[in-house]
């Protein structure tokens, strides 16, 4: 609550939590001992003696984060409030395989730490995003289509020198986490739709990321578009990605004589008002809208955020998409539905990774476990005699 | 943990929770004081003095539950472990409106309590299911299509004489909650698909019911089926319900000379091997499978349970459905996907309502709040002096 700015004094914490004052005092002592909270002056007096003001100590540790794409990566050191202390972007081909890629990331993490004037003692967690499905619990990519050599490889061990937990997730999930934390913290149900070469979706359900049974949730690129006959690389016909992905559009436009290489070029052509590209992107928006209309009926989100390279095309993509979603979804489910472009820039994946890593470190369960260990030590002397054998 | 059978002694609780023994002793005292846990003999000795065994006191209170359908309702009194103490089923037309329906339910609740030898003092919560969308936080139906006169009517106040919290939810959500609790407690992500006159879906995400922003989640009956041209009562064309709902199938079969009134008749005709009905249900399974293939890609569930009157048709519905889901969903997402008929009988809605009500009463937050109040009382004497004004 202190971190979120919901309370900053003992009195406010007592009032907001309903906990006994003695419990609040004890927990604040513990958080101070862990270095996570510190006293910072006093509150304006309301009559009696002024109360101490407490602040979250965002500098109690740092996290190392990396967002790995197909050909580029972004790396950063952030504090516990996702403030960036050092960062860099560089070319790094994911298809070089886990050994070369992760060794390079580890080396750059070390360099970034030095640049920030820190050593690895300060690192409390590491967060990484990769462009493919991940089994989150074990941090292994699972049959990632554009990551040859990565299937089933545990990523954590590459970073064990830092002695900190390593969290690995799909890049689109990190975009959803980042957008939710930065722009829509009060909306419980959010979808982040990334429209780039492929099409994927990150799902926040009840304020938490929904990864699904195999970590495969959000793979909307292979949902069928009614009436579509395009063959997809997955082997099926009419998949959304084969109809409306940036790669598919670029290839169709090339066959119509428009000089575009990829999704980014398509978006640029639309911004330059190239008519064939504009019509293609508007149609793509309608196809994406058709699939999203289904997810709106099924999931009833409160916000849908559209990002990715093709989203740089702007209003033409969103117009087609909104048109179909509002026509095809139930009135109740779209009553307060917000459909917006991503507010944040290319650094969003890094922010998402920082949120993932800091939330893991600062999770209430983890603090509770520390508190339990703490109180076990302190209670050792006065445990009452129990009619049970020691185990 | 005691309720779920994960621990039954102080020693086990200490080992499983990591809490200090003094904390465990204190919390057990509190739960005993609240009547929720009681000592019940001793554990087999492992050398020292035998330890006390604790059990959840399922009889610490009862819940009143009702599952209201279009023309029927089921009512029950259950204990806190969803054991049924008394129940009945009767005709009750939901379109008679909230006054007559809820007054009848209240009267029947009183009669059931008397039959169970209890009075209203024993009631700790009330759970109700209705056949339409519900704003869960306020317990109001929201534009329910087959419940004229119910739109926006708060249901809770009709039961205020019982002095217990009233929880109201959509009937399909209760089926999902009931099936999850009874048959698949270890699967975090479950879909319950009810195929009756209409088609709806209850969603369990990360072990919790997902209701969505307006409580409209799971309305898959109006997702478009590729290539379908049937006009739906919602005003759109090609909705799943207009193609594969029991009502739509019955009406098409009647026009082909098969004597069926509703979904239940259609299922009976299939069980009697009527060929036109069998072909129609198999086709319906394929259409439902097409929509579900999209939800599998999007949501990556671990179990999909098929229930409702049309599911009584048995294998023919499931065969068509599985065929399309496995063909159209991503391999990763169907790797360990289970698609099964509902294991439970017509009483499932009642079980779901009992789970909803008991979980609300026994929620850790609620116990924590009781504990906080309890410890505030006990601590009052030894609160340390704080440098803050009282508020």
């Amino acid at each position: 609550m202190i971190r979120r700015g919901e309370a900053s004094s003992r009195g406010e914490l007592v009032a907001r939590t309903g906990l006994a004052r003695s419990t609040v005092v004890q927990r604040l002592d513990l958080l101070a001992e862990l270095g996570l909270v510190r006293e910072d002056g006093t509150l304006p007096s309301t009559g009696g003696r002024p109360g101490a003001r407490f602040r979250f100590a965002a500098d109690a540790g740092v996290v190392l984060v990396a967002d790995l794409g197909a050909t580029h990566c972004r790396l950063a050191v952030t504090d516990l409030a996702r403030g960036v202390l050092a960062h860099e972007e560089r070319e790094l081909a994911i298809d070089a395989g886990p050994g070369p890629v992760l060794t390079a990331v580890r080396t750059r993490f070390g360099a970034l730490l030095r640049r920030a004037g820190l050593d690895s003692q300060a690192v409390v967690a590491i967060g990484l995003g990769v462009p493919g499905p991940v089994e989150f619990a074990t941090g292994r990519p699972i049959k990632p289509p554009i990551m040859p050599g990565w299937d089933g490889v545990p990523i954590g061990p590459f970073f064990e020198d830092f002695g900190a937990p390593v969290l690995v997730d799909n890049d689109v999930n990190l975009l959803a986490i980042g957008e939710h934390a930065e722009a829509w913290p009060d909306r419980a149900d959010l979808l982040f739709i990334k429209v780039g070469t492929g099409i994927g979706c990150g799902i926040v359900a009840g304020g938490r990321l929904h990864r699904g049974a195999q970590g495969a949730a959000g793979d909307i690129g292979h949902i069928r578009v009614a009436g579509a006959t395009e063959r997809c690389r997955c082997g099926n016909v009419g998949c959304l990605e084969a109809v409306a992905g940036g790669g598919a559009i670029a290839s169709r436009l090339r066959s119509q004589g428009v000089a575009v290489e990829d999704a980014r070029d398509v978006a640029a052509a639309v911004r330059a008002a190239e008519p064939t590209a504009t019509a293609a992107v508007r149609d793509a928006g309608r196809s994406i809208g058709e699939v999203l209309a289904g997810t709106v009926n099924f999931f009833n989100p409160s916000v849908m955020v559209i990002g990715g390279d093709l989203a740089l095309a702007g209003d033409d993509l969103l117009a087609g998409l909104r048109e179909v979603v509002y026509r095809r979804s139930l009135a109740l489910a779209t009553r307060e539905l917000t459909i917006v472009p991503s507010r944040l820039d290319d650094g969003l994946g890094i922010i998402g990774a920082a949120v993932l890593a800091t939330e893991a470190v600062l999770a209430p369960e983890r603090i509770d476990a520390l508190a339990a260990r703490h109180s076990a030590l302190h209670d050792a002397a006065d445990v009452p005699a129990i009619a049970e054998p020691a185990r």
Side-chain angles (χ1 to χ4, degrees), chain A:
Chain A
M1 297 184 75
I2 294 170
R3 184 158 67 108
R4 289 193 299 264
E6 294 168 8
S8 60
S9 70
R10 296 183 186 97
E12 283 171 11
L13 285 163
V14 168
R16 294 292 300 267
T17 61
L19 293 172
R21 184 172 284 265
S22 58
T23 307
V24 167
V25 169
Q26 194 183 2
R27 295 216 181 164
L28 278 170
D29 283 352
L30 173 72
L31 290 169
E33 229 167 278
L34 296 170
L36 292 171
V37 153
R38 70 170 62 99
E39 263 193 59
D40 176 32
T42 54
L43 287 169
S45 170
T46 53
R49 286 162 61 191
R53 183 210 308 268
F54 294 88
R55 289 209 189 280
F56 173 58
D59 58 356
V62 299
V63 300
L64 299 173
V65 290
D67 181 19
L68 309 182
T71 57
H72 278 71
C73 76
R74 285 169 178 271
L75 303 104
V77 182
T78 80
D79 65 21
L80 299 183
R82 53 189 185 266
V84 175
L85 305 176
H87 72 108
E88 66 179 25
E89 186 180 353
R90 55 172 52 220
E91 309 251 307
L92 189 62
I94 199 93
D95 61 9
V101 167
L102 296 175
T103 306
V105 169
R106 186 176 53 203
T107 306
R108 298 314 307 161
F109 275 161
L112 282 172
L113 274 175
R114 282 191 297 279
R115 203 194 300 164
L118 298 161
D119 65 24
S120 59
Q121 298 277 310
V123 178
V124 296
I126 297 174
L128 288 113
V130 299
V134 172
E135 187 178 68
F136 181 71
T138 62
R140 299 165 192 252
I142 303 292
K143 300 212 185 297
I146 64 164
M147 297 170 65
W150 291 76
D151 185 26
V153 175
I155 289 176
F158 282 86
F159 300 96
E160 62 190 9
D161 291 356
F162 291 105
V166 180
L167 297 112
V168 185
D169 211 335
N170 172 268
D171 57 350
V172 187
N173 284 348
L174 295 187
L175 297 177
I177 293 173
E179 188 85 23
H180 182 255
E182 288 282 323
W184 304 97
D186 300 331
R187 302 283 188 107
D189 302 311
L190 172 146
L191 302 183
F192 187 100
I193 296 100
K194 182 184 177 191
V195 190
T197 303
I199 299 177
C201 172
I203 304 168
V204 175
R208 302 186 306 181
L209 195 79
H210 174 75
R211 293 186 175 89
Q214 273 75 37
D219 209 335
I220 62 170
H222 301 277
I223 295 181
R224 186 170 180 187
V225 177
T229 55
E230 285 84 347
R231 182 158 287 280
C232 183
R233 63 183 167 87
C234 79
N236 267 319
V237 166
C239 293
L240 179 62
E241 191 164 301
V243 174
I249 296 174
S251 129
R252 273 203 304 281
L253 286 176
R254 278 198 300 278
S255 76
Q256 296 172 281
V258 183
V260 287
E261 272 301 309
D262 57 17
R264 210 168 255 268
D265 290 350
V266 173
V270 172
R271 286 200 307 278
E274 205 292 321
T276 316
T278 304
V281 163
R282 200 170 258 262
D283 278 347
R286 290 193 191 98
S287 296
I288 297 168
E290 183 165 319
V291 166
L292 291 182
T295 67
V296 167
N297 283 352
F298 173 75
F299 188 72
N300 188 201
S302 118
V303 197
M304 296 206 298
V305 181
I306 316 296
D309 283 347
L310 203 65
L312 301 172
D315 289 341
D316 288 292
L317 184 74
L318 260 81
L321 190 158
R322 287 195 178 109
E323 171 194 325
V324 180
V325 166
Y326 286 108
R327 188 174 69 222
R328 288 291 327 178
S329 301
L330 289 170
L332 177 59
T334 54
R335 189 189 280 181
E336 292 169 36
L337 175 63
T338 309
I339 305 177
V340 287
S342 173
R343 293 194 206 168
L344 299 166
D345 65 2
D346 285 349
L348 184 56
I350 286 294
I351 298 294
V355 174
L356 181 73
T358 51
E359 292 300 318
V361 171
L362 302 175
E365 311 85 77
R366 192 164 170 279
I367 307 284
D368 274 354
L370 292 169
R373 220 175 304 153
H374 183 83
S375 85
L377 287 171
H378 287 246
D379 285 1
D382 57 67
V383 174
I386 304 284
E388 262 178 286
R391 297 201 172 194

